Amino acid sequence: MNDEEKYTIEKVPDSSPVPEATATPEEEKRLVRKLDRRILPLTCLLYLFAFLDRSNIGNARLQGLPQEILGGDPTGLLFQWITSSFYFSYILCQVPATVLSKLFPPSYWMAGTAIGWGICSTLSAATFNFAGIICARVGIGIFEAGFGPAIPLYFSFFYTKEELGLRMGYWFGFAAVAGAFGGLIAFGVQNLDFGPPLQTHGAIGGESDWKILFLLEGIPAIILGIVTLFALPNRPESTRFFTEREREVALERGSRGGKADTGAVVNKSHIFAALSDWRVYAGGVIYFGVNCALASISAFLPTIITTFGYTNALAQILTVPPYVVAAIVLCTTAYYTDRLQSRGLAVAGACFVGTIGYLIVVLVPHNMHARYFAVFCITSGTYTAIGVTIAWFAHNLGSETKKATGIPVFMSIGQCGSVLGTHLYPTSDGPRYITGFATTCGLEALATICAIALYISYKQDNAKRDRLYGRPEPNAPVNTSELADKAPNFRYIA
């Protein structure tokens, strides 16, 4: 074990020692580059395979899975339950898993979750009936629940609020990369023809194509989890990844804007503060809307594109460009929200773009070019809104424990939208799927309104504190150990 921390649950004292030596700009740049080289490749690749393993079910649908283990599934209802079963376990486990993650070295925790979901995904290839695939999907959800919400908390250990948005953009951008990469893998597997072709229901490809897909996307997660165990840095105060000077610089950077509950501890009062914060639930409404869109995109985009008149194989390829554009838009937006230190309007704008995309799909049923353009709007708006929202709350909750509680709370609310999204596109509604598109359009519009409301609320709160307590010095340490984001000198990112 490479940490010397004591893992306890306790009330945190009012203050923590903060290094007095201020880092020079050159020292900070060197440290950030060192962190980026070690942290970003590992966490981004982990998320790539996490998202592949949760979303490859959509590609498997076109490769014979329903015909082979679901008796054809003529209504599409069985497939919907397979897709949503992941989200049931994911939702239930997020909050306890993220709070619990504070009590373990991050490398151990992240490695364990990756190995767990990789094993479950790999075992999906061995399933032979509805019950088996449901069990595998529930297992993937349990392990991924300990990974996704813990990443914003982990990033906040090392990156300042001026750096966090872009890093979260890179990280969540790999969900879009996974969508593109998954389409390419599915196309390749389908055309390699590993088994005798299916003749039922017009399916294309060998009967083992979906099994090969699960193996190709599950085994790398297990390997990457083992690498993570040895390569991912732990907390700044304990990791051996830093020299002593780098540790001082990292701890000083971490004290800017808020400093509380450092180490493997849980501040119980901040758990209740997060659960009673209305803004967490407003964030949950935003996340509900965009996750409803994300889940439907992940599971049904290949199917939806086939309704444009394309073959199954070409539909797999045509899912790639929208995801690539979404990743570029997300990273670009995240960069500018870091520079401007404002995220609310960016979230609102992204949700609005997604709303327009769904409106086009609903109102323009016969122009396939316009509908395909709308897919770009939907993916770009949805992925950007999710990535920037996570970065928004990763600072605005004030303390580690409140982040460890509040982030998975609003994510759990949002994942309920994912469950809804997986049930909005029954086969009987094809080829237009008006109910699904119209519902998601309305939810994206609601998310737009909530983002604007949160932006105004944060601006007003900051202005009120400026009037009462004066403007704090930029990047000055703020003791949030007692009040979290309610500390007088704490300022929100609007």
Side-chain angles (χ1 to χ4, degrees), residues 11-322:
K11 175 96 173 168
V12 179
D14 290 343
S15 61
S16 301
V18 176
E20 296 180 358
T22 302
T24 65
E26 291 76 17
E27 285 180 313
E28 284 205 56
K29 288 179 182 178
R30 285 197 300 269
L31 179 62
V32 171
R33 285 195 297 267
K34 184 175 181 179
L35 290 169
D36 286 346
R37 287 193 299 267
R38 178 64 71 87
I39 292 175
L40 290 181
L42 277 173
T43 54
C44 289
L45 284 174
L46 282 169
Y47 198 55
L48 170 68
F49 287 106
F51 208 83
L52 281 174
D53 289 340
R54 79 169 69 168
S55 62
N56 56 16
I57 194 74
N59 299 109
R61 189 187 198 188
L62 299 183
Q63 295 182 332
L65 183 147
Q67 289 77 19
E68 193 166 342
I69 68 173
L70 301 180
D73 190 25
T75 65
L77 292 177
L78 292 179
F79 180 80
Q80 289 179 8
W81 283 109
I82 289 172
T83 306
S84 60
S85 62
F86 163 87
Y87 294 105
F88 292 138
S89 56
Y90 192 69
I91 290 166
L92 291 174
C93 295
Q94 276 188 315
V95 174
T98 309
V99 174
L100 189 62
S101 73
K102 275 183 57 61
L103 304 181
F104 294 88
S107 62
Y108 286 34
W109 184 265
M110 302 299 181
T113 59
I115 293 170
W117 87 64
I119 290 173
C120 292
S121 180
T122 302
L123 290 176
S124 300
T127 58
F128 54 86
N129 58 21
F130 176 72
I133 193 69
I134 285 284
C135 290
R137 296 288 296 176
V138 168
I140 294 172
I142 291 171
F143 286 104
E144 286 198 22
F147 172 72
I151 285 293
L153 175 64
Y154 176 69
F155 277 16
S156 70
F157 297 163
F158 298 98
Y159 294 109
T160 67
K161 63 181 181 179
E162 289 82 10
E163 301 161 350
L164 190 60
L166 182 59
R167 274 71 188 180
M168 289 305 308
Y170 288 148
W171 176 74
F172 192 75
F174 268 71
V177 173
F181 197 46
L184 290 173
I185 293 175
F187 179 80
V189 169
Q190 194 160 312
N191 282 274
L192 286 175
D193 193 12
F194 288 94
L198 282 166
Q199 301 299 327
T200 57
H201 301 278
I204 297 176
E207 63 180 355
S208 299
D209 286 356
W210 61 273
K211 297 182 180 180
I212 299 297
L213 182 67
F214 287 148
L215 290 173
L216 287 178
E217 296 179 356
I219 293 174
I222 301 173
I223 298 172
L224 190 60
I226 296 171
V227 173
T228 299
L229 182 64
F230 300 99
L232 190 70
N234 288 311
R235 299 182 63 95
E237 60 268 25
S238 61
T239 182
R240 296 180 181 179
F241 175 61
F242 290 151
T243 65
E244 285 308 310
R245 176 55 184 165
E246 287 171 340
R247 193 184 317 280
E248 291 177 3
V249 174
L251 291 173
E252 188 273 326
R253 281 163 43 85
S255 70
R256 297 174 187 172
K259 185 70 174 177
D261 55 314
T262 298
V265 295
V266 173
N267 188 324
K268 290 176 284 189
S269 66
H270 289 188
I271 294 177
F272 296 109
L275 294 175
S276 59
D277 190 340
W278 72 269
R279 288 174 175 139
V280 170
Y281 299 98
V285 175
I286 297 172
Y287 219 63
F288 185 96
V290 292
N291 266 280
C292 180
L294 180 65
S296 58
I297 290 168
S298 301
F300 298 101
L301 184 56
T303 302
I304 291 168
I305 290 181
T306 61
T307 69
F308 295 176
Y310 302 111
T311 64
N312 285 2
L314 185 56
Q316 304 280 21
I317 286 294
L318 289 176
T319 62
V320 175

Side-chain angles (χ1 to χ4, degrees), residues 464-493:
K464 180 180 179 181
R465 294 184 191 183
D466 285 347
R467 290 194 303 271
L468 293 176
Y469 310 110
R471 290 180 177 271
E473 181 183 345
N475 291 326
V478 178
N479 185 353
T480 58
S481 60
E482 284 296 327
L483 300 176
D485 55 299
K486 304 300 182 183
N489 285 334
F490 182 87
R491 295 296 181 272
Y492 297 104
I493 295 176

Side-chain angles (χ1 to χ4, degrees), residues 365-379:
H366 303 299
N367 188 328
M368 295 303 106
H369 297 291
R371 287 165 69 85
Y372 190 52
F373 168 76
V375 171
F376 283 83
C377 294
I378 293 168
T379 54

